[in-house]
Amino acid sequence: MQVLVMALMSHPGSSHSIHSRIIQCKIRQNGVNSFANTVDSARMRSPSWSSLKVKPSLSSVGIGLGSRHGRQVTVAASPPTEDAVISTEPLTKEDLVGYLASGCKPKENWRIGTEHEKFGFEIGTLNPMKYEQIAELLNGISERFDWDKIMEGENIIGLKQNNQSISLEPGGQFELSGAPLETLHQTCAEVNSHLYQVKAVAEEMGIGFLGIGFQPKWRREDIPIMPKVNLDFDSEADMIKKFRAGLALQPIATALFANSPFTEGKPNGYLSMRSQIWTDTDNNRSGMLPFVFDDSFGFEQYVEYALDVPMYFVYRKKKYIDCAGMSFRDFLAGKLPSLPGEYPTLNDWENHLTTIFPEVRLKRYLEMRGADGGPWRRLCALPAFWVGLLYDNDSLQNVLDMIADWTLEEREMLRNKVPKEGLKTPFRDGLLKHVAQEVLKISKDGLERRGFKEAGFLNELTEVVNTGITPAEKLLALYHGKWGRSVDPVFEELLY
C-alpha cells in the first residue's frame, strides 16, 4: 500500500538549526515550472516503468539491487518521464536545485492521494497471477467501469480515469495511484470504490488480492511492497523540518505497520522483512541520510547527495539506455559514456531521483517509505498517521522537540533493530512502544486540529501501540497455532 499526500497543482499533473540561506520557492524564469508541468503530464503517459530489468511478459522493467550477501532484490520505481522537452542548453546544478524548490506550495493547496499495491493470486491454487489474467482483469475493469486503457503495442499495461491510474509493478502487483483529494474521508471513499471495482471483476475470474508487505509463499524474485506517503512543503525550512521528523519517526511507522514475517512459506525471523531488506541493500542509495540533520542541509545538499548516487538508466524514445554505475555529474558535463556529447533534461533528473531509495526521499515533495503493505482496514491509517504529524504546525513542532536530542547512533539503532523487534525494541529507559504511544497521540491531536473529523482513521493503530503487538506478530501467532504452521491461510486472512 502506498500513500501520497500531494498538492493540487494548477496544471495536470526543528529543533535542529536551519541555515539562514533559504531558497525562495517561487516561479523561476529558467523554466523550472514548465519542465515540472511537462513531467507531471508525462508520468501519466508511461505507467509501465518498474525497473531496469526487462520483464517482457509485463512490458515493464525493474531495478535489480544487490545486497552485501549476494541477494538480488527487484524493486519498483516510479514511471519514467518522457523526454518530451529537449534541453537547448546544459543544465546547471542551480537548475537541479530549482527543480526541487519548485515543489514548494502554499498549505491551502496541499492534498492527499493514496497509492497501494496488491499481490494478485489464483484463489484455487494460491499461485500468482499470469499476465493473461492481468490483461483480462484490466480489460474487464475498463469495460465495466469506464476506464481508459493504456497500451504498449498490443498489450494492455494499465488504466486511467480522470486523475487516477492503475498500473502493474515488477511482480505483477496491481497498483492504484489515486487522485489528489482534500480529506482522508475522500481518500478512503476512493480506495473503497477501487477495491469494489477490482473485486467485482476479479472474483468472477477466481482471482484474489493479498494485502501484505512481502510475498509470503512464492519462490520468485524478492519483490517487497514499498509503501509511500508523500508530503508537501511550503518552503525550504518547512522541507527540512519534515525531512528530519520523517527520518526520525520512520522506524515507528515500520513497527506499527510491520506485516511481512513470511518468506517462501515459513517465518523469516523478522516482523518486517521488507524493511530488513533495505538495511542490506545498496547503501549508495538507501538508508537514514544522516546529513539531513546537519546545520547546512537544504535543497542544495540533497542535490549533491543525489549527484553522487550512481545512475541506472536514461530514457530516450521509449527505450532504456543502460547507464549503470555512471555519474550524473558527468552527464551534466556532456560526458556520459552511454550518450557522449548529450546533456540531461530535468526529466532525466526526475528519473534519476526515482532510483534513490532512502527511508525518506526528496523530489518535489517528501516521500515517507517506512511502512509495509497491509489489508483494507489499514489502508487509511497510514496517511492519517503522517498527515496528523506533519500537516499540523503544532504537531510537527512537538515531534521536532521530541527528537531534538536523539543521536545519530540512536536513529540508526532503531532503523536496524525495529524490523526484527518491532515495538519491543529497547529505547533509552523504556521500549519503542512507549515512544509510539506519544507519537500516536501527537498525530491524533493534529488530525483533530485539522477539523475534518479524521482522527478515527487512527483507531486501527491504537490497539497496536497499547498492546505493543504488531500485525506481523499476530500473523506469527496464527501460524504457530490455528494455522498449523502453514502460511496458506494468510491468503484468506489478508484478502482484500
Side-chain angles (χ1 to χ4, degrees):
M1 187 257 301
Q2 302 179 349
V3 186
L4 298 102
V5 185
M6 46 201 295
L8 182 64
M9 301 185 68
S10 58
H11 294 269
S14 116
S15 302
H16 298 272
S17 63
I18 298 172
H19 64 92
S20 60
R21 188 189 60 76
I22 300 298
I23 295 174
Q24 295 302 308
C25 299
K26 59 185 179 182
I27 296 177
R28 294 161 52 92
Q29 299 304 312
N30 65 356
V32 166
N33 271 18
S34 63
F35 270 95
N37 295 329
T38 300
V39 162
D40 278 344
S41 59
R43 181 185 290 111
M44 290 300 295
R45 295 197 298 273
S46 32
S48 61
W49 159 249
S50 52
S51 74
L52 193 59
K53 183 175 179 182
V54 178
K55 304 177 75 65
S57 64
L58 296 178
S59 298
S60 65
V61 288
I63 291 177
L65 301 180
S67 75
R68 291 191 298 271
H69 298 107
R71 181 177 199 159
Q72 185 77 3
V73 179
T74 302
V75 299
S78 301
T81 59
E82 302 277 6
D83 49 330
V85 180
I86 302 301
S87 182
T88 57
E89 58 185 43
L91 292 176
T92 65
K93 189 176 76 173
E94 288 69 31
D95 293 322
L96 307 184
V97 172
Y99 172 83
L100 296 179
S102 73
C104 298
K105 45 191 71 76
K107 186 172 184 177
E108 60 266 23
N109 287 347
W110 296 352
R111 293 294 183 268
I112 305 167
T114 61
E115 289 191 8
H116 63 90
E117 300 174 1
K118 304 164 285 299
F119 288 118
F121 65 95
E122 298 174 351
I123 292 175
T125 66
L126 305 184
N127 289 329
M129 292 177 70
K130 304 178 182 70
Y131 172 73
E132 292 74 19
Q133 293 169 312
I134 294 172
E136 181 182 348
L137 180 63
L138 290 172
N139 281 314
I141 294 172
S142 171
E143 292 159 8
R144 192 175 304 187
F145 299 105
D146 198 28
W147 288 71
D148 296 325
K149 299 177 184 180
I150 301 170
M151 307 294 293
E152 279 191 357
E154 297 181 356
N155 295 325
I156 184 170
I157 48 86
L159 303 171
K160 59 183 177 180
Q161 184 184 80
N162 301 321
N163 291 323
Q164 304 175 75
S165 65
I166 296 173
S167 58
L168 304 180
E169 296 300 311
Q173 303 99 291
F174 214 56
E175 178 183 89
L176 170 71
S177 298
L181 299 168
E182 186 175 2
T183 72
L184 291 163
H185 299 286
Q186 295 167 345
T187 294
C188 287
E190 176 188 65
V191 169
N192 290 342
S193 174
H194 168 70
L195 293 178
Y196 167 78
Q197 293 180 11
V198 170
K199 287 182 67 174
V201 178
E203 285 181 349
E204 295 174 0
M205 299 170 53
I207 296 295
F209 284 94
L210 183 65
I212 199 167
F214 197 82
Q215 294 177 345
K217 181 179 176 71
W218 309 314
R219 296 182 62 86
R220 300 186 53 180
E221 298 167 288
D222 294 332
I223 302 178
I225 293 290
M226 288 176 294
K228 301 189 291 282
V229 176
N230 296 349
L231 299 117
D232 286 314
F233 42 80
D234 61 22
S235 66
E236 185 175 47
D238 188 41
M239 178 277 292
I240 295 168
K241 291 177 180 179
K242 288 174 177 171
F243 211 148
R244 291 171 176 170
L247 280 171
L249 297 187
Q250 214 60 222
I252 291 178
T254 299
L256 290 173
F257 292 89
N259 195 45
S260 49
F262 304 119
T263 303
E264 296 183 358
K266 57 183 182 297
N268 52 40
Y270 294 91
L271 303 180
S272 176
M273 174 54 81
R274 179 209 58 83
S275 182
Q276 171 62 22
I277 283 173
W278 286 106
T279 67
D280 189 37
T281 303
D282 200 347
N283 289 335
N284 286 323
R285 66 186 74 245
S286 60
M288 290 287 280
L289 307 186
F291 65 88
V292 172
F293 293 85
D294 293 346
D295 291 347
S296 61
F297 177 70
F299 290 125
E300 183 175 353
Q301 287 67 33
Y302 193 84
V303 167
E304 290 286 350
Y305 158 74
L307 283 172
D308 288 331
V309 174
M311 293 178 66
Y312 272 126
F313 70 92
V314 173
Y315 192 62
R316 289 288 184 274
K317 299 178 181 178
K318 300 188 183 299
K319 293 183 179 179
Y320 297 89
I321 299 171
D322 186 357
C323 301
M326 298 178 191
S327 164
F328 207 95
R329 291 185 192 274
D330 288 345
F331 200 7
L332 278 180
K335 298 178 180 178
L336 193 68
S338 294
L339 291 170
E342 187 167 336
Y343 295 97
T345 66
L346 285 178
N347 294 22
D348 295 320
W349 177 236
E350 185 186 44
N351 287 338
H352 179 58
L353 293 176
T354 69
T355 68
I356 303 172
F357 304 107
E359 290 298 285
V360 176
R361 176 165 67 182
L362 175 63
K363 293 194 274 191
R364 288 183 296 157
Y365 46 83
L366 282 168
E367 184 178 279
M368 308 289 144
R369 303 173 57 82
D372 281 4
W376 173 86
R377 60 186 179 272
R378 288 201 290 277
L379 289 182
C380 296
L382 182 60
F385 177 74
W386 287 114
V387 168
L389 291 172
L390 302 184
Y391 269 14
D392 175 78
N393 291 336
D394 290 347
S395 289
L396 178 55
Q397 189 57 52
N398 288 337
V399 169
L400 294 170
D401 291 342
M402 172 191 291
I403 68 172
D405 65 346
W406 290 14
T407 65
L408 166 63
E409 292 74 21
E410 286 176 321
R411 294 193 302 269
E412 291 290 342
M413 179 276 294
L414 289 175
R415 172 68 189 92
N416 292 327
K417 289 191 174 181
V418 160
K420 190 175 186 70
E421 300 182 33
L423 292 171
K424 297 178 178 64
T425 302
F427 186 73
R428 296 190 173 178
D429 56 354
L431 300 175
L432 189 62
K433 163 187 169 180
H434 305 123
V435 183
Q437 289 171 342
E438 184 177 353
V439 169
L440 194 63
K441 183 181 186 307
I442 293 173
S443 178
K444 182 178 180 181
D445 291 345
L447 290 179
E448 289 176 345
R449 282 189 290 268
R450 273 170 54 85
F452 295 118
K453 300 186 184 300
E454 298 167 317
F457 291 115
L458 295 176
N459 289 346
E460 182 68 25
L461 301 181
T462 301
E463 179 187 1
V464 179
V465 298
N466 287 344
T467 62
I469 299 172
T470 65
E473 288 166 294
K474 288 188 174 182
L475 294 178
L476 287 167
L478 288 168
Y479 172 86
H480 289 292
K482 180 180 176 182
W483 295 353
R485 301 177 70 84
S486 168
V487 300
D488 288 2
V490 78
F491 288 85
E492 181 176 354
E493 180 73 17
L494 299 182
L495 180 71
Y496 280 114

